[in-house]
């Protein structure tokens, strides 16, 4: 399988060398540049710079007006576009034929990917059982994810114990080592291993809704555990202990340390249902009839969530203009369950992603997607639109970064996962805007729903998840080939929504 680093798609070059052309290629760009002498030859910032800039700026009436307004107001509220607000109506001519509820709320946690996943899965369950209100337990998946991420981190520390403590990989892995966030393949790992339960079987706790204090404590302990394992590894190898014995000793010690993690988590989140033990779920449907089901969490998944489109048979399409399309990608050292399903992406043109979304909505299937929600979006209005804030006009600037530029310079990455539940098509069948179900409660957006413009989709949507049955056949073939290109651990495609 392939194992090459991420790279920018190369620009085609001339096949024959021409000295004249070569000279012109250098001269032409220079002739268009304004060559000037700096005020500071050593690169330092001086008061001369400030005086020069101020002399120009204070004479500009537009800048003077901007200083008057923006020094006393939030630029986002002042510069929100009236025309965009009018254009971005919460009206869609293709929506799912069944509305789920309630609007979920991840509160002060980074569990959006678990909420997006369970919001997608609950659609079929609610429709089948005719439920008015229903949630799957996000906390149940959160518990198993956090426990497994702790184990994953310590396994990586064992695997790379010989690297210097300040090696870039060790530093990266020890940064946000047990993030609340995740990716589609991670949730598939969890569902396959632990199943699903209704929220009533494992409800929210203080620290599932407010994950910061728990994360801080776990990170402190896990970094301590990492150093213990590294020291033990060095001691054993310095004594020339057989490698097989080294590994078994390290794993035995890791299991001892993981008990501390388990105790912290069960104390703060509660003991979760055993994936293989039966429990009873009673519910009331929309007609006020009482229903009863009995089985294990894994049974619940198999019976209610595996049809018509199983999460196991779905995969991620991404739009990453830095890298070649129609290729399979993964990110090194990214995962939650050790030895589980790897994180896999099929890179494709954004138009393919749009067409896939439209096809899924028309087929009655909600869409999990990953995006950079903080860019050109308004929480109160529930709008995501590249034209929503008039920054360029107000500050007389040009925001010229492309989607590829933003990824390369760390300006953008997947930060949030949500669900597309509708789309508005123009007369030619092209998408104009999308209906988005968020997990920020009913007070965000229009009763919990957002509108996303097609232009915003192009620039800030990076991922959509599609069942194989609804995906383009050629992209399914890329996914099933297994011939993946490995991106470095710190690549932006490793961002966890």
């Amino acid at each position: 399988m392939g194992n090459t680093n991420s790279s920018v798609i190369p620009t085609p070059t001339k096949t024959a060398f021409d000295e004249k052309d070569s000279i012109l290629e250098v001269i032409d760009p220079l002739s268009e540049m304004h060559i000037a002498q700096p005020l500071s030859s050593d690169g330092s910032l001086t008061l001369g710079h400030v005086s020069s800039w101020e002399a120009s700026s204070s004479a500009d009436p537009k800048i003077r007006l901007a200083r008057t307004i923006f020094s006393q107001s939030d630029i986002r509220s002042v510069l929100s576009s009236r025309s965009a607000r009018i254009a971005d109506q919460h009206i869609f001519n293709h929506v799912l034929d069944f509305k789920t509820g309630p609007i979920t709320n991840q509160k002060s946690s980074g569990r959006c990917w678990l909420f997006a996943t369970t919001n997608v899965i609950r659609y079929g369950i609610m429709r089948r059982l005719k439920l008015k209100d229903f949630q799957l337990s996000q906390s149940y998946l959160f518990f198993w994810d956090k426990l497994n991420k702790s184990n994953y981190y310590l396994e990586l520390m064992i695997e790379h114990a010989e690297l210097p403590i300040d090696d870039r990989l060790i530093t990266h892995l020890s940064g946000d080592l047990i993030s609340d966030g995740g990716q589609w393949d991670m949730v598939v790992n969890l569902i396959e291993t632990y199943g699903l339960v209704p929220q009533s079987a494992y409800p929210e706790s203080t620290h599932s809704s407010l994950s910061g204090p728990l994360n801080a404590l776990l990170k402190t302990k896990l970094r301590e555990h990492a150093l213990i394992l590294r020291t033990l590894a060095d001691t054993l190898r310095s004594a020339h202990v057989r490698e097989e014995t080294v590994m078994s000793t390290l794993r035995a010690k890791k299991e001892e340390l993981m008990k501390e993690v388990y105790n912290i988590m069960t104390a703060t989140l509660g003991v979760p249902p055993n994936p293989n033990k039966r429990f009873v779920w009673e519910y009331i449907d929309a007609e006020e009839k009482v229903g009863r089901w009995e089985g294990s969490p894994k049974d619940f998944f198999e019976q209610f969530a595996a049809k018509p489109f199983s999460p196991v048979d779905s995969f991620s399409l991404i739009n990453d203009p830095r890298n070649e399309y129609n290729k399979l990608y993964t990110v090194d050292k990214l995962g939650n369950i050790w030895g589980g399903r790897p994180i896999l992406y099929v890179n494709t043109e954004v138009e393919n992603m749009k067409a896939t979304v439209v096809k899924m909505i028309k087929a009655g299937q909600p869409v999990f997607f990953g995006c950079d929600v903080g860019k050109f979006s308004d929480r109160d209005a529930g709008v995501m639109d590249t034209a929503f804030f008039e920054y360029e006009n107000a500050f007389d600037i040009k925001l010229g970064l492309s989607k590829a530029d933003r990824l390369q310079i760390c300006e953008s990455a997947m930060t949030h996962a949500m669900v597309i539940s509708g789309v508005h098509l123009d007369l030619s069948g092209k998408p104009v805007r999308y209906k988005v179900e968020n997990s920020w409660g009913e007070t965000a957006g229009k009763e919990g729903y957002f509108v996303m413009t097609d232009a915003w989709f192009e620039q800030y949507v990076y991922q959509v998840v599609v069942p194989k049955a609804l995906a383009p056949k050629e992209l399914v073939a890329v996914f099933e080939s297994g011939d993946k290109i490995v991106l470095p651990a710190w690549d932006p495609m490793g961002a966890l929504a």
Side-chain angles (χ1 to χ4, degrees):
M1 294 184 291
N3 187 23
T4 58
N5 290 330
S6 170
S7 60
V8 179
I9 300 172
T11 303
T13 56
K14 292 183 174 66
T15 56
F17 176 76
D18 186 308
E19 183 178 1
K20 181 179 179 181
D21 286 346
S22 181
I23 294 172
L24 289 175
E25 286 175 2
V26 175
I27 293 176
D28 286 349
L30 288 176
S31 66
E32 297 173 2
M33 296 175 64
H34 176 63
I35 307 299
Q37 292 297 318
L39 293 178
S40 173
S41 59
D42 64 359
S44 60
L45 182 64
T46 69
L47 291 178
H49 292 102
V50 177
S51 296
S52 174
W53 299 332
E54 181 58 26
S56 172
S57 298
S58 60
D60 188 326
K62 184 176 181 180
I63 293 178
R64 292 202 306 271
L65 178 61
R67 289 174 173 178
T68 301
I69 297 172
F70 301 146
S71 62
Q72 304 176 63
S73 307
D74 183 339
I75 60 174
R76 293 169 299 178
S77 59
V78 174
L79 296 178
S80 61
S81 169
R82 175 179 169 84
S83 60
R85 285 179 178 270
I86 293 172
D88 298 332
Q89 297 295 309
H90 288 257
I91 297 173
F92 310 91
N93 52 18
H94 293 272
V95 295
L96 301 178
D97 59 3
F98 185 90
K99 187 175 181 180
T100 57
I103 290 295
T104 55
N105 193 341
Q106 66 190 75
K107 298 185 179 178
S108 298
S109 73
R111 299 173 292 160
C112 61
W113 62 299
L114 298 176
F115 277 76
T117 300
T118 51
N119 284 344
V120 166
I121 294 175
R122 74 169 172 170
Y123 177 82
I125 299 173
M126 292 184 69
R127 186 173 181 180
R128 174 179 171 181
L129 298 179
K130 299 178 181 179
L131 303 177
K132 184 178 180 181
D133 291 311
F134 174 71
Q135 287 191 63
L136 290 162
S137 174
Q138 304 91 0
S139 297
Y140 179 74
L141 296 174
F142 181 67
F143 178 94
W144 293 117
D145 177 66
K146 194 73 70 177
L147 188 67
N148 276 279
K149 278 178 180 167
S150 299
N151 181 67
Y152 196 94
Y153 169 70
L154 294 181
E155 279 291 333
L156 287 172
M157 292 301 100
I158 291 173
E159 183 179 292
H160 299 287
E162 79 287 352
L163 292 177
I165 192 68
D166 59 353
D167 183 87
R168 183 178 185 181
L169 179 62
I170 300 300
T171 301
H172 171 78
L173 295 174
S174 298
D176 197 9
L177 62 160
I178 49 164
S179 166
D180 284 359
Q183 270 298 341
W184 177 257
D185 294 296
M186 291 182 179
V187 82
V188 172
N189 281 332
L190 297 172
I191 292 171
E192 281 193 295
T193 306
Y194 302 103
L196 294 165
V197 298
Q199 193 179 76
S200 58
Y202 192 66
E204 287 287 293
S205 68
T206 296
H207 291 289
S208 62
S209 298
L210 177 66
S211 60
L214 172 60
N215 285 338
L217 177 58
L218 287 177
K219 288 177 184 179
T220 297
K221 286 305 300 179
L222 286 167
R223 289 168 181 145
E224 178 185 335
H225 293 166
L227 291 177
I228 291 171
L229 291 171
R230 286 173 60 87
T231 300
L232 179 57
D234 183 61
T235 301
L236 293 170
R237 290 185 173 119
S238 296
H240 305 292
V241 175
R242 288 173 48 195
E243 190 60 27
E244 182 179 340
T245 304
V246 170
M247 291 303 295
S248 63
T249 303
L250 288 172
R251 285 206 163 115
K253 184 62 177 178
K254 181 208 70 175
E255 291 168 2
E256 175 189 328
L257 297 172
M258 277 293 298
K259 183 182 177 183
E260 294 185 350
V261 174
Y262 177 80
N263 287 339
I264 292 170
M265 290 187 57
T266 51
T268 54
L269 300 175
V271 179
N274 186 299
N276 297 309
K277 288 189 176 181
R278 300 171 71 84
F279 68 95
V280 174
W281 174 47
E282 295 179 327
Y283 59 90
I284 300 176
D285 66 17
E287 297 175 353
E288 300 299 322
K289 295 179 180 178
V290 175
R292 184 183 188 277
W293 180 88
E294 184 174 348
S296 71
K298 294 179 79 170
D299 293 335
F300 190 92
F301 165 61
E302 291 295 336
Q303 185 168 340
F304 291 114
K307 296 178 181 179
F309 303 110
S310 174
V312 178
D313 293 325
S314 298
F315 68 101
S316 296
L317 301 179
I318 61 166
N319 177 241
D320 177 3
R322 302 170 306 154
N323 289 301
E324 188 176 355
Y325 292 134
N326 300 312
K327 296 289 184 181
L328 184 65
Y329 293 87
T330 188
V331 178
D332 194 28
K333 308 293 185 296
L334 183 64
N336 57 351
I337 293 183
W338 190 253
R341 169 170 165 162
I343 282 67
L344 296 174
Y345 305 125
V346 176
N347 196 22
T348 188
E349 294 85 353
V350 73
E351 293 302 325
N352 284 339
M353 290 173 59
K354 294 180 189 178
T356 297
V357 169
V358 172
K359 184 176 181 179
M360 290 177 66
I361 294 300
K362 288 184 175 181
Q365 177 65 16
V367 184
F368 176 112
F369 78 105
C371 65
D372 190 352
V373 73
K375 298 292 191 293
F376 289 91
S377 65
D378 186 278
R379 182 188 182 107
D380 294 332
V383 172
M384 296 178 285
D385 184 349
T386 56
F388 197 78
F389 297 111
E390 298 185 2
Y391 295 135
E392 293 185 333
N393 182 45
F395 295 104
D396 197 22
I397 58 173
K398 177 68 177 175
L399 300 176
L401 294 178
S402 68
K403 194 173 190 177
D405 292 336
R406 294 187 204 104
L407 287 168
Q408 290 171 327
I409 203 65
C410 304
E411 167 64 14
S412 183
M414 280 186 279
T415 61
H416 192 52
M418 296 180 284
V419 177
I420 297 174
S421 59
V423 61
H424 192 76
L425 306 179
D426 64 16
L427 295 178
S428 66
K430 293 183 178 180
V432 176
R433 55 184 177 266
Y434 306 81
K435 182 179 183 180
V436 174
E437 180 183 356
N438 205 346
S439 55
W440 291 348
E442 293 184 352
T443 59
K446 185 178 180 180
E447 298 177 344
Y449 287 90
F450 282 52
V451 56
M452 171 176 61
T453 67
D454 189 60
W456 198 94
F457 185 114
E458 287 190 2
Q459 295 300 318
Y460 296 110
V461 169
Y462 293 103
Q463 171 195 33
V464 298
V465 173
V466 56
K468 290 181 183 178
L470 297 177
K473 292 181 179 179
E474 64 275 14
L475 298 182
V476 174
V478 173
F479 176 73
E480 293 181 339
S481 72
D483 187 16
K484 55 184 178 290
I485 297 169
V486 181
L487 303 173
W490 41 83
D491 189 89
M493 280 299 124
L496 299 178

